[in-house]
Amino acid sequence: MIKIESLLKTYGSLEAVKGISFEVNEGEITGFLGPNGAGKSTTLKIIAGFNKATSGKVFVNNTDIESAPELIKEQIGYLSELNPLYSEMTIYEYLRFICQIRNIEGEEFKEKLKLVTRKCGLHGRLNQQISTLSKGFKQRVGLAQAIIHDPPILILDEPTNGLDPNQIVEIRSLIQELGKDKTIILSSHILQEIQAICDKIIIIHNGLIVADSPAKKLLNSYQNKQSIRIEFTKISVTEEELIRHFPKMVIQEFSIKENSILLVCETTASKDTRIDLSKYITNKGATIIGLKYQQKTLEDVFHNLTLGDIITQEVNGGDE
Ligand code: ATP
């Protein structure tokens, strides 16, 4: 539905987005994840038609957005990171103003207003001045202006930024509800957010795409992936025996030393394999003399891709 081709955006000598390409599938919620300054907002502004690319193309349903800006405006709803609202207006006045810009008047305006009031939970608030609304309600109004013309595509730049935990849950479920009949690109630097609601995850770092995958695939391939390095006193055990007993284990090193055995392995078992492995080995009469354990989560992947940092939990000696 949306195709980005070799998108480049420079600000003076800074390459904020370095020739990235990706696709967004119809009807999916795509999470655009990256640390501060990665290039998320720059990319989203270009897709929404609020900024011009230095080079590269954005296609919506095979139409180049540069060649049909008016058509694309109908197709896209955009909530910017700053959610600029006219705080002296009431919600009603603001939404009417947004509709006037979009030439939505009369009966059509009444219908659309009714619909967004229901979808965004604005009942009983339409005559309230925007400056007196909580941050969560302001985000609801921001979402209402983004969807009032009923676009099939929604671009939401950090929609839960600055909200309290309750408001985050509210806005997240609202986005999920909207995602039932819209294609959504949602940016965030909060991993849990993306994990909770997105079908697809794209990670951007320093203006480059470092991961682009269906969310489930990315989660399955990394979540619960455990890496174990265990050394124990010499006993009679073979690699084949260990694999038979722990079928999800992939052995990376099995070396028999003078008085000990070193096993380095990875497993995707849902349980903590350290415990079962320790039990198995000690039941065979060995004493554990070293254990290093690392559990990879999507968070590690994110850190790894954007910082090169992995959290390691190390347990030395002892016989857990
Ligand atoms: P954040 O999560 O902090 O919003 P982001 O991933 O959205 O970050 P961008 O806002 O796209 O990142 O910024 C990418 C880079 O481009 C940053 O180094 C930023 O300082 C720079 N940048 C963005 N807008 C401009 C601008 N108008 N002029 C100059 N530099 C800019």
Side-chain angles (χ1 to χ4, degrees):
M1 182 166 215
I2 304 175
K3 195 170 175 194
I4 313 298
E5 261 181 23
S6 310
L7 199 71
L8 174 81
K9 178 69 189 178
T10 56
Y11 296 111
S13 60
L14 175 80
E15 280 193 350
V17 175
K18 299 174 180 163
I20 60 172
S21 301
F22 61 90
E23 287 185 29
V24 173
N25 305 323
E26 185 165 2
E28 284 190 351
I29 303 184
T30 295
F32 204 47
L33 185 68
N36 292 125
K40 303 182 294 296
S41 299
T42 301
T43 307
L44 297 188
K45 270 184 213 157
I46 294 169
I47 301 173
F50 280 82
N51 205 342
K52 262 189 172 295
T54 306
S55 66
K57 297 253 175 242
V58 177
F59 298 94
V60 173
N61 289 329
N62 299 320
T63 305
D64 180 349
I65 62 164
E66 265 194 322
S67 68
E70 286 312 311
L71 180 75
I72 299 304
K73 275 205 176 101
E74 277 172 25
Q75 303 266 314
I76 295 178
Y78 172 58
L79 173 61
S80 95
E81 191 180 10
L82 300 173
N83 185 18
L85 301 169
Y86 290 105
S87 54
E88 73 285 2
M89 288 184 181
T90 63
I91 298 178
Y92 175 86
E93 287 165 345
Y94 177 66
L95 293 177
R96 193 186 52 191
F97 169 69
I98 293 294
C99 282
Q100 279 166 347
I101 296 173
R102 293 189 175 278
N103 292 324
I104 301 169
E105 311 259 14
E107 281 308 306
E108 194 190 357
F109 166 64
K110 279 186 197 158
E111 261 173 48
K112 296 225 181 301
L113 181 70
K114 210 166 139 188
L115 200 69
V116 294
T117 302
R118 184 175 58 74
K119 282 199 171 167
C120 299
L122 297 172
H123 277 297
R125 302 284 192 136
L126 289 180
N127 292 319
Q128 188 169 343
Q129 196 174 338
I130 289 173
S131 63
T132 66
L133 296 172
S134 68
K135 186 117 203 295
F137 256 93
K138 284 184 182 151
Q139 285 306 86
R140 284 170 183 267
V141 178
L143 280 168
Q145 68 74 30
I147 64 168
I148 199 152
H149 56 299
D150 197 21
I153 299 168
L154 266 186
I155 296 184
L156 311 175
D157 195 356
E158 308 218 13
T160 60
N161 202 12
L163 301 184
D164 73 30
N166 293 335
Q167 294 168 332
I168 287 177
V169 172
E170 271 178 34
I171 296 296
R172 244 186 228 166
S173 60
L174 178 54
I175 293 168
Q176 271 174 312
E177 191 58 36
L178 295 172
K180 285 182 184 161
D181 59 2
K182 296 200 187 294
T183 301
I184 298 182
I185 310 182
L186 165 85
S187 88
S188 179
H189 54 263
I190 307 167
L191 191 75
Q192 288 81 354
E193 175 134 301
I194 296 288
Q195 215 168 317
I197 58 175
C198 296
D199 303 296
K200 179 174 169 166
I201 297 176
I202 294 173
I203 304 179
I204 183 169
H205 176 47
N206 277 339
L208 289 168
I209 304 285
V210 291
D212 179 348
S213 169
K216 273 200 184 123
K217 196 170 163 201
L218 201 68
L219 289 169
N220 286 344
S221 57
Y222 289 100
Q223 228 168 24
N224 296 322
K225 194 165 190 175
Q226 304 162 47
S227 169
I228 300 170
R229 186 180 200 278
I230 187 165
E231 193 170 1
F232 46 94
T233 52
K234 214 165 172 179
I235 46 164
S236 164
V237 67
T238 63
E239 274 187 74
E240 292 71 29
E241 230 180 299
L242 283 166
I243 291 168
R244 255 200 319 277
H245 202 83
F246 298 97
K248 291 194 169 165
M249 181 184 278
V250 176
I251 296 183
Q252 290 162 336
E253 186 178 343
F254 183 83
S255 43
I256 302 174
K257 300 179 181 179
E258 204 180 323
N259 296 312
S260 65
I261 296 176
L262 175 69
L263 167 69
V264 182
C265 62
E266 276 195 350
T267 169
T268 48
S270 52
K271 283 204 297 182
D272 183 348
T273 305
R274 254 181 321 181
I275 298 168
D276 289 342
L277 185 61
S278 308
K279 270 189 200 154
Y280 183 76
I281 289 166
T282 48
N283 281 345
K284 281 186 164 282
T287 300
I288 293 167
I289 49 181
L291 177 65
K292 190 176 169 189
Y293 175 75
Q294 177 186 316
Q295 186 173 34
K296 287 182 189 169
T297 62
L298 188 58
E299 206 153 322
D300 294 325
V301 181
F302 180 67
H303 284 306
N304 219 10
L305 292 170
T306 58
L307 285 176
D309 191 15
I310 283 214
I311 301 153
T312 310
Q313 186 188 344
E314 202 170 323
V315 184
N316 281 317
D319 48 4
E320 269 204 319

Coordinates of all heavy atoms in Angstrom, one line a residue, residues 185-247:
I185 N 0.9 3.7 10.4 CA 2.3 3.7 10.7 C 2.4 4.5 12.0 O 1.9 5.6 12.1 CB 3.2 4.4 9.6 CG1 2.9 3.8 8.2 CG2 4.7 4.2 10.0 CD1 3.8 4.5 7.2
L186 N 3.1 3.9 13.0 CA 3.1 4.4 14.3 C 4.6 4.5 14.7 O 5.3 3.5 14.7 CB 2.4 3.4 15.2 CG 2.5 3.5 16.7 CD1 1.5 4.5 17.2 CD2 2.2 2.2 17.3
S187 N 5.1 5.7 15.1 CA 6.5 5.7 15.5 C 6.6 5.8 17.0 O 5.6 6.3 17.7 CB 7.2 7.0 14.9 OG 7.0 8.1 15.8
S188 N 7.6 5.3 17.5 CA 7.8 5.3 19.0 C 9.3 4.9 19.3 O 9.9 4.3 18.5 CB 6.9 4.3 19.6 OG 7.1 4.2 21.0
H189 N 9.8 5.4 20.4 CA 11.1 4.9 20.9 C 10.8 3.9 22.0 O 11.8 3.5 22.7 CB 12.1 6.0 21.2 CG 11.6 7.0 22.2 ND1 11.1 8.2 21.8 CD2 11.6 6.9 23.5 CE1 10.7 8.8 22.9 NE2 11.0 8.1 23.9
I190 N 9.5 3.6 22.3 CA 9.2 2.7 23.4 C 8.9 1.3 22.8 O 7.9 1.1 22.1 CB 8.0 3.2 24.2 CG1 8.2 4.6 24.7 CG2 7.7 2.3 25.4 CD1 7.0 5.3 25.2
L191 N 9.8 0.4 23.1 CA 9.7 -0.9 22.5 C 8.4 -1.6 22.8 O 7.8 -2.2 22.0 CB 10.9 -1.7 23.0 CG 11.2 -3.0 22.4 CD1 11.8 -2.7 21.0 CD2 12.1 -3.8 23.2
Q192 N 8.0 -1.5 24.1 CA 6.9 -2.3 24.6 C 5.6 -1.9 23.8 O 4.7 -2.6 23.6 CB 6.6 -2.1 26.1 CG 7.6 -2.8 27.0 CD 8.9 -2.0 27.1 OE1 9.1 -1.0 26.4 NE2 9.8 -2.5 27.9
E193 N 5.6 -0.6 23.5 CA 4.5 0.0 22.7 C 4.3 -0.7 21.4 O 3.3 -1.2 21.0 CB 4.8 1.5 22.5 CG 3.8 2.1 21.7 CD 3.5 3.4 22.4 OE1 3.0 3.4 23.5 OE2 3.7 4.5 21.7
I194 N 5.4 -0.7 20.7 CA 5.5 -1.3 19.3 C 5.1 -2.8 19.4 O 4.3 -3.3 18.6 CB 6.9 -1.1 18.7 CG1 7.2 0.4 18.6 CG2 7.1 -1.9 17.5 CD1 6.4 1.1 17.5
Q195 N 5.7 -3.4 20.4 CA 5.5 -4.9 20.7 C 4.0 -5.2 20.9 O 3.5 -6.2 20.4 CB 6.3 -5.2 21.9 CG 6.9 -6.6 21.9 CD 7.9 -6.7 23.0 OE1 8.7 -5.8 23.3 NE2 7.9 -7.8 23.7
A196 N 3.4 -4.3 21.6 CA 2.0 -4.5 22.1 C 1.0 -4.4 20.9 O 0.0 -5.2 20.9 CB 1.6 -3.6 23.2
I197 N 1.2 -3.5 20.0 CA 0.1 -3.3 19.0 C 0.5 -3.5 17.5 O -0.4 -3.4 16.7 CB -0.5 -1.9 19.2 CG1 0.4 -0.8 19.1 CG2 -1.3 -1.9 20.5 CD1 -0.2 0.6 19.2
C198 N 1.8 -3.7 17.2 CA 2.1 -3.7 15.8 C 2.2 -5.1 15.1 O 2.6 -6.0 15.7 CB 3.4 -3.0 15.6 SG 3.3 -1.2 16.1
D199 N 1.8 -5.1 13.8 CA 1.9 -6.3 13.0 C 3.3 -6.4 12.5 O 3.8 -7.5 12.2 CB 0.9 -6.3 11.9 CG -0.5 -6.1 12.4 OD1 -1.0 -7.0 13.1 OD2 -1.1 -5.0 12.1
K200 N 3.9 -5.3 12.2 CA 5.2 -5.3 11.6 C 6.1 -4.3 12.3 O 5.6 -3.3 12.8 CB 5.0 -4.9 10.1 CG 6.3 -4.8 9.3 CD 6.0 -4.5 7.8 CE 7.3 -4.2 7.1 NZ 7.2 -4.2 5.7
I201 N 7.4 -4.6 12.4 CA 8.3 -3.7 13.1 C 9.4 -3.3 12.1 O 10.1 -4.1 11.5 CB 8.9 -4.4 14.3 CG1 7.8 -4.7 15.3 CG2 10.0 -3.5 15.0 CD1 8.2 -5.4 16.6
I202 N 9.6 -2.0 12.0 CA 10.8 -1.5 11.3 C 11.6 -0.7 12.3 O 11.1 0.2 13.0 CB 10.3 -0.5 10.1 CG1 9.5 -1.3 9.1 CG2 11.5 0.2 9.5 CD1 8.9 -0.5 8.0
I203 N 12.9 -1.0 12.4 CA 13.8 -0.3 13.3 C 14.7 0.6 12.5 O 15.4 0.1 11.5 CB 14.6 -1.2 14.2 CG1 13.6 -2.2 15.0 CG2 15.5 -0.4 15.2 CD1 14.3 -3.2 15.9
I204 N 14.7 1.9 12.8 CA 15.6 2.8 12.1 C 16.7 3.3 13.1 O 16.4 3.6 14.3 CB 14.8 4.0 11.5 CG1 15.7 4.9 10.7 CG2 13.9 4.7 12.5 CD1 14.9 5.9 9.8
H205 N 17.9 3.5 12.6 CA 19.0 3.9 13.5 C 19.9 4.8 12.6 O 20.3 4.3 11.6 CB 19.7 2.7 14.1 CG 20.9 3.1 14.9 ND1 20.8 4.1 15.9 CD2 22.1 2.6 14.9 CE1 22.0 4.2 16.4 NE2 22.8 3.3 15.9
N206 N 20.2 6.0 13.1 CA 21.1 6.9 12.3 C 20.7 7.0 10.9 O 21.5 7.0 10.0 CB 22.6 6.3 12.4 CG 23.3 6.7 13.6 OD1 22.8 7.7 14.3 ND2 24.3 6.0 14.0
G207 N 19.4 7.1 10.6 CA 18.9 7.3 9.3 C 18.9 6.1 8.4 O 18.6 6.2 7.2
L208 N 19.2 4.9 9.0 CA 19.2 3.7 8.2 C 18.3 2.6 8.8 O 18.1 2.6 10.0 CB 20.6 3.1 8.2 CG 21.7 3.8 7.4 CD1 23.1 3.3 7.7 CD2 21.4 3.7 5.8
I209 N 17.7 1.8 7.9 CA 16.8 0.7 8.4 C 17.7 -0.4 8.9 O 18.5 -1.0 8.1 CB 15.8 0.2 7.3 CG1 15.0 1.3 6.7 CG2 15.0 -1.0 7.9 CD1 13.9 1.8 7.6
V210 N 17.6 -0.8 10.2 CA 18.4 -1.9 10.7 C 17.6 -3.2 10.9 O 18.2 -4.3 11.2 CB 19.2 -1.5 11.9 CG1 20.3 -0.5 11.6 CG2 18.3 -1.0 13.0
A211 N 16.3 -3.1 10.8 CA 15.4 -4.3 10.9 C 14.1 -4.0 10.3 O 13.6 -2.9 10.4 CB 15.2 -4.7 12.4
D212 N 13.5 -5.0 9.6 CA 12.2 -4.8 8.9 C 11.6 -6.2 8.9 O 12.1 -7.1 8.1 CB 12.5 -4.3 7.5 CG 11.2 -4.1 6.7 OD1 10.1 -4.6 7.2 OD2 11.2 -3.4 5.7
S213 N 10.6 -6.5 9.7 CA 10.2 -7.9 9.8 C 8.8 -7.9 10.4 O 8.4 -7.0 11.2 CB 11.1 -8.6 10.8 OG 10.6 -9.8 11.2
P214 N 8.0 -8.9 10.1 CA 6.7 -9.1 10.8 C 7.0 -9.2 12.3 O 8.0 -9.8 12.7 CB 6.2 -10.4 10.3 CG 6.9 -10.6 9.0 CD 8.2 -10.0 9.1
A215 N 6.2 -8.5 13.1 CA 6.4 -8.4 14.6 C 6.6 -9.8 15.2 O 7.5 -10.1 15.9 CB 5.3 -7.7 15.2
K216 N 5.7 -10.7 14.8 CA 5.7 -12.1 15.4 C 7.1 -12.8 15.1 O 7.6 -13.4 16.0 CB 4.6 -12.9 14.9 CG 3.3 -12.8 15.6 CD 2.4 -13.9 15.4 CE 1.1 -13.6 16.1 NZ -0.1 -13.7 15.2
K217 N 7.5 -12.6 13.9 CA 8.7 -13.3 13.5 C 9.9 -12.7 14.3 O 10.7 -13.5 14.8 CB 8.9 -13.1 12.0 CG 9.9 -14.0 11.4 CD 9.9 -13.8 9.8 CE 11.2 -14.4 9.3 NZ 11.4 -13.9 7.9
L218 N 9.9 -11.4 14.4 CA 11.0 -10.8 15.1 C 11.0 -11.2 16.6 O 12.0 -11.5 17.2 CB 10.9 -9.3 15.0 CG 12.2 -8.5 15.3 CD1 13.2 -8.7 14.2 CD2 11.9 -7.0 15.3
L219 N 9.8 -11.2 17.2 CA 9.7 -11.6 18.6 C 10.0 -13.1 18.8 O 10.8 -13.4 19.7 CB 8.2 -11.4 19.0 CG 7.8 -9.9 19.2 CD1 6.3 -9.8 19.4 CD2 8.6 -9.3 20.4
N220 N 9.5 -13.9 17.9 CA 9.8 -15.4 18.0 C 11.2 -15.7 17.9 O 11.8 -16.5 18.6 CB 9.0 -16.2 17.0 CG 7.5 -16.3 17.4 OD1 7.2 -16.0 18.5 ND2 6.7 -16.6 16.4
S221 N 11.9 -15.0 17.0 CA 13.3 -15.3 16.8 C 14.2 -14.8 17.9 O 15.3 -15.3 18.0 CB 13.7 -14.8 15.4 OG 13.6 -13.5 15.3
Y222 N 13.7 -13.9 18.6 CA 14.6 -13.4 19.7 C 14.1 -13.6 21.1 O 14.9 -13.8 22.0 CB 14.9 -11.9 19.5 CG 15.7 -11.6 18.3 CD1 15.2 -11.2 17.1 CD2 17.1 -11.8 18.4 CE1 16.0 -11.0 16.0 CE2 17.9 -11.6 17.3 CZ 17.3 -11.2 16.1 OH 18.1 -11.0 15.0
Q223 N 12.8 -13.6 21.3 CA 12.3 -13.7 22.6 C 12.6 -15.1 23.2 O 12.4 -16.1 22.5 CB 10.8 -13.4 22.7 CG 10.5 -12.4 23.8 CD 9.1 -11.9 23.7 OE1 8.3 -12.5 23.2 NE2 8.9 -10.7 24.3
N224 N 13.0 -15.1 24.4 CA 13.3 -16.4 25.1 C 14.5 -17.1 24.6 O 14.8 -18.2 24.9 CB 12.1 -17.3 25.1 CG 11.0 -16.8 25.9 OD1 11.2 -16.1 26.9 ND2 9.8 -17.0 25.4
K225 N 15.2 -16.4 23.7 CA 16.5 -17.0 23.2 C 17.5 -16.9 24.4 O 17.8 -15.9 24.8 CB 17.0 -16.3 22.0 CG 18.0 -17.1 21.3 CD 18.2 -16.5 19.9 CE 19.0 -17.4 19.0 NZ 19.1 -17.0 17.7
Q226 N 17.9 -18.1 24.8 CA 18.9 -18.1 25.9 C 20.2 -18.6 25.5 O 20.3 -19.5 24.7 CB 18.4 -19.1 27.0 CG 17.0 -18.8 27.5 CD 16.4 -20.0 28.2 OE1 17.0 -20.6 29.1 NE2 15.2 -20.3 27.9
S227 N 21.2 -18.0 26.0 CA 22.6 -18.4 25.7 C 23.2 -18.8 27.0 O 23.2 -18.1 28.0 CB 23.3 -17.2 25.1 OG 24.6 -17.4 25.0
I228 N 23.7 -20.1 27.0 CA 24.3 -20.6 28.3 C 25.7 -21.1 28.1 O 26.0 -21.7 27.1 CB 23.4 -21.8 28.8 CG1 22.0 -21.3 29.0 CG2 24.0 -22.4 30.0 CD1 21.0 -22.5 29.3
R229 N 26.6 -20.7 29.0 CA 27.9 -21.2 29.0 C 28.1 -21.9 30.4 O 28.1 -21.2 31.4 CB 28.9 -20.0 28.8 CG 30.3 -20.4 28.6 CD 31.1 -19.1 28.4 NE 32.4 -19.4 27.8 CZ 33.4 -19.8 28.5 NH1 33.4 -20.0 29.8 NH2 34.6 -20.0 27.8
I230 N 28.3 -23.2 30.4 CA 28.4 -23.9 31.7 C 29.6 -24.8 31.7 O 29.9 -25.4 30.7 CB 27.0 -24.7 31.9 CG1 27.0 -25.3 33.3 CG2 26.8 -25.8 30.9 CD1 25.6 -25.8 33.7
E231 N 30.3 -24.8 32.8 CA 31.4 -25.6 33.0 C 31.2 -26.5 34.2 O 30.7 -26.0 35.3 CB 32.7 -24.8 33.2 CG 33.9 -25.7 33.0 CD 35.2 -24.8 32.9 OE1 35.2 -23.6 33.0 OE2 36.3 -25.5 32.8
F232 N 31.4 -27.8 34.1 CA 31.1 -28.7 35.2 C 32.2 -29.8 35.3 O 32.9 -30.0 34.3 CB 29.7 -29.3 35.1 CG 29.4 -29.9 33.7 CD1 29.6 -31.2 33.4 CD2 28.9 -29.0 32.7 CE1 29.3 -31.7 32.1 CE2 28.6 -29.5 31.5 CZ 28.8 -30.9 31.2
T233 N 32.3 -30.4 36.5 CA 33.4 -31.4 36.6 C 33.1 -32.6 35.7 O 31.9 -32.8 35.3 CB 33.4 -31.9 38.1 OG1 32.1 -32.3 38.5 CG2 33.9 -30.8 39.1
K234 N 34.1 -33.3 35.3 CA 34.1 -34.3 34.3 C 33.1 -35.4 34.7 O 33.2 -36.0 35.8 CB 35.5 -34.8 34.0 CG 35.7 -35.2 32.6 CD 37.2 -35.4 32.5 CE 37.6 -35.9 31.1 NZ 39.0 -36.0 31.0
I235 N 32.2 -35.7 33.8 CA 31.3 -36.9 34.0 C 31.2 -37.6 32.6 O 31.6 -37.0 31.6 CB 29.9 -36.5 34.5 CG1 29.4 -35.3 33.7 CG2 29.8 -36.3 36.0 CD1 27.9 -35.0 33.8
S236 N 30.4 -38.7 32.6 CA 30.3 -39.4 31.3 C 29.0 -38.8 30.6 O 27.9 -39.2 31.0 CB 30.1 -40.9 31.6 OG 29.6 -41.5 30.5
V237 N 29.2 -37.9 29.7 CA 28.0 -37.3 29.0 C 28.5 -36.9 27.6 O 29.6 -36.5 27.4 CB 27.4 -36.1 29.8 CG1 28.3 -34.9 29.8 CG2 26.1 -35.7 29.2
T238 N 27.6 -37.1 26.6 CA 28.0 -36.8 25.2 C 27.1 -35.7 24.7 O 26.0 -35.4 25.2 CB 27.9 -38.0 24.3 OG1 26.5 -38.4 24.3 CG2 28.7 -39.2 24.8
E239 N 27.5 -35.1 23.6 CA 26.7 -34.0 23.0 C 25.4 -34.6 22.5 O 24.4 -33.9 22.7 CB 27.5 -33.5 21.7 CG 28.5 -32.5 21.9 CD 29.0 -31.9 20.6 OE1 28.3 -31.2 20.0 OE2 30.2 -32.3 20.3
E240 N 25.4 -35.8 21.9 CA 24.2 -36.4 21.4 C 23.2 -36.6 22.5 O 22.0 -36.4 22.4 CB 24.5 -37.8 20.8 CG 25.3 -37.7 19.5 CD 26.8 -37.3 19.7 OE1 27.3 -37.6 20.8 OE2 27.4 -36.7 18.8
E241 N 23.7 -37.1 23.7 CA 22.8 -37.3 24.8 C 22.1 -36.0 25.3 O 20.9 -36.0 25.5 CB 23.8 -37.7 26.0 CG 23.3 -39.0 26.7 CD 24.3 -39.3 27.8 OE1 25.5 -39.5 27.5 OE2 23.9 -39.3 29.0
L242 N 22.9 -34.9 25.3 CA 22.4 -33.6 25.7 C 21.3 -33.1 24.7 O 20.2 -32.7 25.1 CB 23.5 -32.6 25.8 CG 24.4 -32.7 27.0 CD1 25.7 -31.8 26.8 CD2 23.6 -32.2 28.2
I243 N 21.6 -33.3 23.4 CA 20.6 -32.9 22.4 C 19.4 -33.7 22.5 O 18.2 -33.2 22.3 CB 21.3 -32.9 21.0 CG1 22.3 -31.8 20.9 CG2 20.2 -32.7 19.9 CD1 23.2 -31.9 19.7
R244 N 19.5 -35.0 22.7 CA 18.3 -35.9 22.9 C 17.5 -35.4 24.1 O 16.2 -35.3 24.0 CB 18.7 -37.3 23.2 CG 18.6 -38.2 21.9 CD 18.5 -39.7 22.3 NE 19.4 -40.1 23.3 CZ 20.7 -40.5 23.0 NH1 21.2 -40.3 21.8 NH2 21.5 -40.9 24.0
H245 N 18.1 -35.0 25.1 CA 17.4 -34.6 26.3 C 16.9 -33.1 26.2 O 15.8 -32.8 26.8 CB 18.4 -34.7 27.6 CG 17.6 -34.8 28.8 ND1 17.1 -36.0 29.3 CD2 17.2 -33.9 29.7 CE1 16.4 -35.8 30.4 NE2 16.5 -34.5 30.7
F246 N 17.6 -32.3 25.5 CA 17.2 -30.9 25.3 C 17.1 -30.6 23.8 O 18.0 -30.0 23.2 CB 18.2 -29.9 26.0 CG 18.4 -30.1 27.5 CD1 19.4 -30.9 28.0 CD2 17.5 -29.6 28.4 CE1 19.6 -31.1 29.3 CE2 17.6 -29.7 29.7 CZ 18.7 -30.5 30.2
P247 N 16.0 -31.0 23.2 CA 15.9 -31.0 21.7 C 16.0 -29.5 21.2 O 16.3 -29.4 20.0 CB 14.5 -31.6 21.4 CG 13.8 -31.9 22.7 CD 14.8 -31.6 23.9

